[in-house]
Amino acid sequence: MKITAELCVIPMGVGVSVSRYVAACEPILRQAGLNPQLHAYGTNVEGEWDDVFAAFKRCHQAIHDMGAVRVFTTVKLGSRNDRAQSNDDKIASARSYFD
Amino acid sequence: MKITAELCVIPMGVGVSVSRYVAACEPILRQAGLNPQLHAYGTNVEGEWDDVFAAFKRCHQAIHDMGAVRVFTTVKLGSRNDRAQSNDDKIASARSYFD
Amino acid sequence: MKITAELCVIPMGVGVSVSRYVAACEPILRQAGLNPQLHAYGTNVEGEWDDVFAAFKRCHQAIHDMGAVRVFTTVKLGSRNDRAQSNDDKIASARSYFD
Amino acid sequence: MKITAELCVIPMGVGVSVSRYVAACEPILRQAGLNPQLHAYGTNVEGEWDDVFAAFKRCHQAIHDMGAVRVFTTVKLGSRNDRAQSNDDKIASARSYFD
């Protein structure tokens, strides 16, 4: 099953500056072939369900390995069986209605 | 990796009454041994990472099979490596501070 | 506009035990008349849009006042203009499909 | 209280193509001075708490006015009292750790 998804990780117990941990996910998501797109409230990806969540698990493990005792994560995801739709397609579709 | 998680599924393109689709997830989560706890904005579960996301995938597939062309889902999840903590533990911990 | 909503607050920079901060929201939500229902991944409430978000703002301020330099929050919310539906109605509706 | 936030609206009961509704939020957020940044899983904004949620309320009302009987929304938001941090600052901070 093809999905698009958004990952937002919050390491806990490591202070208020968490960019270093967010950044550690980027190579994991890229090497998994998920076409990561970083934004200010997460990273958007796309791929097969199993590949996406295997990579998200590696992100959690990497953040723990960096010293975060606790990791809180939010994910949004979507699947559709009528047609393929990438993250770029979604943005283009919304923009087509802009003035 | 042990996690607790919250699943909230929104079938799209099937009208505004979606309880039937939400309810279809319950036996999937129960049979996976994830101790599901339904509330008004999702279902909380707990278990091994791989078991949790395999079950969430089956929920998506079940909802598509019921006729929803598109499924939008939000997940919250947490892992910690200092100690085990169940969903019931989390609630009890917060309640311990109530008057 | 009547809404139902879920609030999940994550204080950052205060260590991994955050129950004390979560618990501080409960009296704020209760005194606002929002019928809070605590679960393991947040607190569900219901009421008028302005009352809900005024109370959520007071929760953020209370958590900052307790010493958290940074607060990360997730909210889910729903409005519908066909009929009134409480959080208890939503749960009952899903349960009606259970075996 | 200054915040950054992410808004993701899901109109229900209007079929599977929802870009038109998402797009309707853009001018509302822009006219409120919230510096909206559209991505594939929502729109990031920044501003004073009251301005942000007043605009989000107008988005809900606009989507109802376009014919959606039910609107499901997720919001992520953050406040910090140690220093100002824009959405662009957050992205730049994460990118500074990239190879």
Side-chain angles (χ1 to χ4, degrees):
Chain A
M1 193 188 319
K2 284 267 186 199
I3 61 172
T4 58
E6 179 197 65
L7 174 73
C8 176
V9 294
I10 308 285
M12 296 171 68
V14 294
V16 296
S17 295
V18 299
S19 304
R20 195 165 66 88
Y21 302 87
V22 171
C25 296
E26 179 80 9
I28 294 169
L29 300 172
R30 202 168 47 221
Q31 285 160 27
L34 301 178
N35 189 24
Q37 302 185 326
L38 177 74
H39 60 80
Y41 264 100
T43 301
N44 299 336
V45 301
E46 56 205 4
E48 286 293 326
W49 179 293
D50 293 348
D51 296 336
V52 168
F53 286 102
F56 287 0
K57 186 184 181 186
R58 285 196 294 277
C59 292
H60 260 248
Q61 288 170 324
I63 294 169
H64 282 306
D65 291 346
M66 291 170 76
V69 165
R70 191 172 183 178
V71 185
F72 173 83
T73 286
T74 68
V75 173
K76 292 199 288 256
L77 72 127
S79 61
R80 55 192 306 172
N81 59 17
D82 56 342
R83 63 184 179 89
Q85 189 184 40
S86 70
N87 280 320
D88 283 345
D89 291 338
K90 291 173 67 179
I91 295 171
S93 181
R95 282 199 192 285
S96 74
Y97 290 97
F98 286 8
D99 302 326
Chain B
M1 193 189 317
K2 285 267 187 198
I3 61 171
T4 58
E6 179 196 64
L7 174 73
C8 177
V9 294
I10 307 286
M12 296 172 69
V14 295
V16 295
S17 296
V18 300
S19 303
R20 194 164 67 88
Y21 302 87
V22 171
C25 296
E26 179 80 11
I28 294 170
L29 301 171
R30 203 167 47 221
Q31 285 159 28
L34 302 179
N35 189 24
Q37 301 184 327
L38 177 74
H39 59 81
Y41 263 100
T43 301
N44 298 336
V45 301
E46 56 205 5
E48 285 293 326
W49 179 293
D50 293 347
D51 296 337
V52 168
F53 286 102
F56 286 1
K57 185 184 180 186
R58 285 197 294 278
C59 292
H60 259 247
Q61 289 171 323
I63 294 170
H64 281 306
D65 291 346
M66 291 170 77
V69 164
R70 192 171 182 179
V71 185
F72 174 85
T73 286
T74 68
V75 173
K76 292 200 288 259
L77 72 128
S79 60
R80 56 193 302 172
N81 59 18
D82 55 341
R83 63 183 178 88
Q85 188 184 40
S86 69
N87 280 320
D88 283 345
D89 291 339
K90 291 173 68 179
I91 295 171
S93 181
R95 284 198 190 286
S96 73
Y97 290 97
F98 286 7
D99 302 327
Chain C
M1 192 189 319
K2 285 267 187 200
I3 61 171
T4 58
E6 179 195 64
L7 174 73
C8 177
V9 294
I10 308 285
M12 296 172 70
V14 295
V16 295
S17 295
V18 299
S19 303
R20 194 164 68 89
Y21 302 87
V22 171
C25 297
E26 180 80 11
I28 294 169
L29 301 172
R30 202 168 47 222
Q31 284 160 27
L34 301 179
N35 189 24
Q37 302 184 327
L38 176 76
H39 60 80
Y41 263 100
T43 301
N44 298 336
V45 301
E46 56 205 5
E48 285 293 326
W49 179 294
D50 293 348
D51 296 336
V52 168
F53 286 102
F56 287 0
K57 185 183 180 186
R58 286 196 294 278
C59 292
H60 260 247
Q61 289 170 323
I63 294 170
H64 281 306
D65 290 346
M66 291 170 75
V69 165
R70 190 172 183 179
V71 185
F72 173 83
T73 286
T74 67
V75 173
K76 293 200 288 257
L77 73 127
S79 62
R80 55 192 304 172
N81 59 16
D82 56 341
R83 63 184 178 87
Q85 187 184 41
S86 69
N87 280 320
D88 284 345
D89 291 339
K90 291 174 66 179
I91 295 172
S93 181
R95 283 199 191 286
S96 72
Y97 290 98
F98 286 8
D99 302 327
Chain D
M1 192 189 318
K2 283 267 186 200
I3 61 171
T4 58
E6 179 196 65
L7 174 73
C8 177
V9 294
I10 308 284
M12 296 172 69
V14 294
V16 296
S17 296
V18 299
S19 303
R20 195 164 66 88
Y21 302 87
V22 171
C25 297
E26 180 79 11
I28 294 169
L29 301 171
R30 202 168 47 220
Q31 285 160 27
L34 302 179
N35 190 23
Q37 302 184 327
L38 177 75
H39 59 80
Y41 263 100
T43 302
N44 298 337
V45 300
E46 56 205 5
E48 286 293 325
W49 179 293
D50 293 348
D51 296 336
V52 169
F53 286 103
F56 287 0
K57 185 183 181 186
R58 285 196 294 277
C59 292
H60 259 248
Q61 288 171 323
I63 294 170
H64 281 305
D65 290 346
M66 291 170 76
V69 164
R70 191 172 183 178
V71 184
F72 173 83
T73 286
T74 67
V75 173
K76 291 199 290 257
L77 72 127
S79 61
R80 56 191 305 171
N81 58 18
D82 55 342
R83 62 184 179 89
Q85 188 184 41
S86 70
N87 280 320
D88 283 345
D89 292 338
K90 291 173 68 179
I91 295 172
S93 182
R95 283 198 193 284
S96 73
Y97 290 97
F98 286 8
D99 302 325

